[in-house]
Every structure is written in structure tokens, then in C-alpha cells.
Amino acid sequence: MDSKTFIGVEPFDVSYGTGFQAQDDEAQAIECSIVEDGGDLRIHSPARADRPSRLCFVDGVRRTEAHLTRTSPVGETTTGLAGAWGAGAVLIGGERLATIDHIETGRAVIFTGGHQVQLRPHREGWRWDAYSVDGDDTDAAMQNLQRLMRDTEARIADRLCAEGWLTVFDGPLHNIRRSRSVPVVGYVKTHHRRTLAPEHWNALPRIGVGDRSSLFALRDDLYACYIRVGDPGPWAGPWSGIARIEVPAAAGREAAIDTVDRAARWLPEFASAPHRDPRAPVNLTPVAGLERRLHHLLGDARLALRAVREAVMHLNRDAAA
């Protein structure tokens, strides 16, 4: 780093957003085609189904631990962040208790403007990989951190699918290989945009616990439907407890219908309770437990921020020497 380049640190807090956000993003709505029930939306109440004998849940967490700035010798300032991510799986097979496994974690410093800044490993074990993104939009750095987490999740999910586990991937199936039929279900609990025609979209809150909507083609390679996994209580909004589930289209429509019928019946077994999880019931209990473990493994956020500050202080001091 140039002797007159200066790195600055600011703290940053992370919080969860709300589950239903589609009305804020109506301009990006898409209207997918319903591929059963003659193209009209219906609410299906599938027969009871046992959960798969080899079932796993894959999820990840990310945390922005500090906002950073990089000021060049001529006074130009670009932004960045220091953050961490982790991913893993909860395995439920036969009569075994749920087991958390396949844990991976990482830490990164990501700067905009195409700049990479490598921080020296901290004496207490904190260390960061250096990344950069083009442009000057701080959101691009945050998206890069999200992508690092999602790529890690996808590697874990692909590995478990190949081993024959029915894998519930917490999030959309963007990064999962779908060139062949794989035992994977995407579980999307936030609704950023409308996916069906308004008259169908507005009818979705009629879904009951264990029910599902008609199947629709989310893309050429994905089918999807909406389910309700739990009763959020009389105080909740109409979309509380509703999730979208996605399945690969490679195996065909009938196989997809069978998968979502079964999932609509056994997924509610894992719905979380309000006294344990503020995102209940839509945040599944195995996922909530995995998230707690991953946050623990990432360490104390205050200590992470302190480590970033000390590493930046040493970097600036070394550059000025």
C-alpha cells in the first residue's frame, strides 16, 4: 500500500428485514405461468406424507463487521467493508438426532473501485481474505459478501445432494446445479417481488398450514409453489408463515408436483415457535439452530471490530514508516 494511502474504519450494525417486501418492489414483479389446474390458481391440501429418511437443511449467515474507507494520496476516497460468513448443514437421518455438520466459515475485506487491501492476520487468530469489486457502490461490496456465503452454501448442498440427502436449501436455488434431477428443495421465506398475476397473488394468503398453491414455472429450469408452514397467530399479517418452495424442473412436472405435495405436509413439522424465534413460524427450527451455531463460530462482533481496527492501525503505521 502506498505510504500516503489511508484506511479508515467505522462500525456497522446488521439487522433482518421483514418477510413481505413485494409491494416495495412492484416494478420488478414477474408473472409466472401456472402449469397445473388449467392455469388457474388453486389451493391444494395434499395427503399426509412422512418426512424423507435422509433429510438435511443447508443455510448460511453473513455479518458486516465494519465499514471501511480507502483514501488515496490525491484525496480520492472509496469504500469497503470487513465481514464474515459461515455455512453448514443440519442432518436428520432415521432415528438419529439432528446433527450439525459440514461447517465452513470465512472472513473478508472487500473494497470498491477495484482496490484490494490485505490486512495482516491478527495475533488473536482473526484473518481476512482480500477481495475487490468494480465501481464505487458500497452495495456491490455487500453483494460480494453475500455471494461468498451463497457459494459456500451451494458447495455444501451439491455435496449432500450427490450423497443422496433430500436437501432443503434455505434460499432460492440460484447457485445449485440443476442440469440433472437432484434431491433439493429451495425454501424462500422473504417475498421481494410479485411472481403471479395480481388476482392470483392476492389469493395466496388463503393458504392454510400444510396446504400449497398450484405449481408455476419460475424459470425454464425451476418449478415453484407457495406453502404455509405454521400458524403465526391472530396478530400477524396475512403473509406470515408463507414460504415459496422451488424444485428443479429437470425431472418433469409430475415429479415436481409429487415433491411439493410431500414437502407441504412434512415441512410444517419444522416450523419454529414464536417464544423461541422472532421469525416464527416461517424460519424453520433446524435452520434457526444452525444459524445460532454459525453466529457463535463467527465470534463476538465487538471483538471482530476491534481486530479490524487494530489491523488497520498497523497497516497505516507500516505504510507511513
Side-chain angles (χ1 to χ4, degrees):
M1 188 174 75
D2 189 282
S3 62
K4 294 184 179 179
T5 298
F6 181 80
I7 307 300
V9 184
E10 299 175 9
F12 180 81
D13 291 327
V14 176
S15 61
Y16 290 106
T18 60
F20 184 73
Q21 302 172 13
Q23 291 180 335
D24 297 333
D25 203 12
E26 185 65 17
Q28 296 187 35
I30 57 174
E31 296 190 4
C32 301
S33 298
I34 295 176
V35 296
E36 65 172 330
D37 304 319
D40 290 325
L41 184 80
R42 276 190 53 200
I43 306 301
H44 292 257
S45 298
R48 177 178 174 80
D50 293 331
R51 71 189 189 200
S53 59
R54 286 167 60 86
L55 175 64
C56 69
F57 297 82
V58 173
D59 190 27
V61 300
R62 61 180 171 84
R63 184 174 73 195
T64 300
E65 296 172 334
H67 270 161
L68 305 174
T69 58
R70 177 187 181 277
T71 305
S72 73
V74 296
E76 294 177 345
T77 298
T78 53
T79 60
L81 61 84
W85 74 93
V90 179
L91 309 182
I92 304 173
E95 299 300 321
R96 292 192 312 163
L97 296 176
T99 303
I100 294 178
D101 204 345
H102 295 269
I103 296 290
E104 296 183 32
T105 61
R107 229 171 212 97
V109 170
I110 308 169
F111 267 93
T112 61
H115 302 292
Q116 280 195 2
V117 175
Q118 183 66 63
L119 298 184
R120 180 195 305 174
H122 191 270
R123 65 183 182 279
E124 294 180 0
W126 307 87
R127 56 183 63 243
W128 305 263
D129 294 321
Y131 297 88
S132 66
V133 294
D134 295 330
D136 57 2
D137 186 355
T138 305
D139 285 344
M142 297 178 68
Q143 291 165 8
N144 191 295
L145 183 64
Q146 171 85 357
R147 186 161 50 251
L148 290 168
M149 179 194 74
R150 286 299 188 195
D151 288 347
T152 305
E153 291 174 331
R155 286 196 304 272
I156 296 169
D158 280 334
R159 191 182 315 141
L160 289 166
C161 287
E163 295 173 2
W165 292 86
L166 190 288
T167 302
V168 178
F169 185 84
D170 193 77
L173 295 180
H174 292 324
N175 297 338
I176 303 298
R177 290 179 293 129
R178 297 185 297 276
S179 57
R180 55 184 173 82
S181 176
V182 294
V184 63
V185 173
Y187 182 83
V188 184
K189 54 183 178 279
T190 55
H191 310 293
H192 294 287
R193 59 181 177 176
R194 178 168 58 81
T195 57
L196 297 171
E199 65 272 20
H200 295 150
W201 180 258
N202 293 337
L204 289 173
R206 297 204 308 262
I207 295 174
V209 177
D211 293 347
R212 70 164 180 91
S213 74
S214 301
L215 195 72
F216 58 92
L218 187 60
R219 291 200 306 269
D220 290 343
D221 58 348
L222 282 180
Y223 288 125
C225 71
Y226 288 91
I227 68 171
R228 192 185 294 273
V229 296
D231 182 359
W235 54 83
W239 277 79
S240 297
I242 292 180
R244 184 177 80 237
I245 56 176
E246 303 177 354
V247 295
R253 187 179 71 105
E254 295 308 314
I257 289 173
D258 181 65
T259 298
V260 299
D261 271 348
R262 291 174 178 275
R265 300 307 294 178
W266 56 257
L267 274 171
E269 295 180 30
F270 300 100
S272 51
H275 66 281
R276 293 187 175 181
D277 190 335
R279 290 174 289 166
V282 75
N283 197 43
L284 303 177
T285 297
V287 170
L290 177 58
E291 289 174 340
R292 286 192 295 270
R293 172 70 68 83
L294 291 171
H295 281 299
H296 174 74
L297 292 175
L298 293 185
D300 190 306
R302 295 167 298 179
L303 296 180
L305 174 59
R306 187 180 72 180
V308 171
R309 286 173 171 163
E310 291 182 5
V312 165
M313 180 183 66
H314 289 303
L315 183 66
N316 288 331
R317 186 178 61 192
D318 292 345

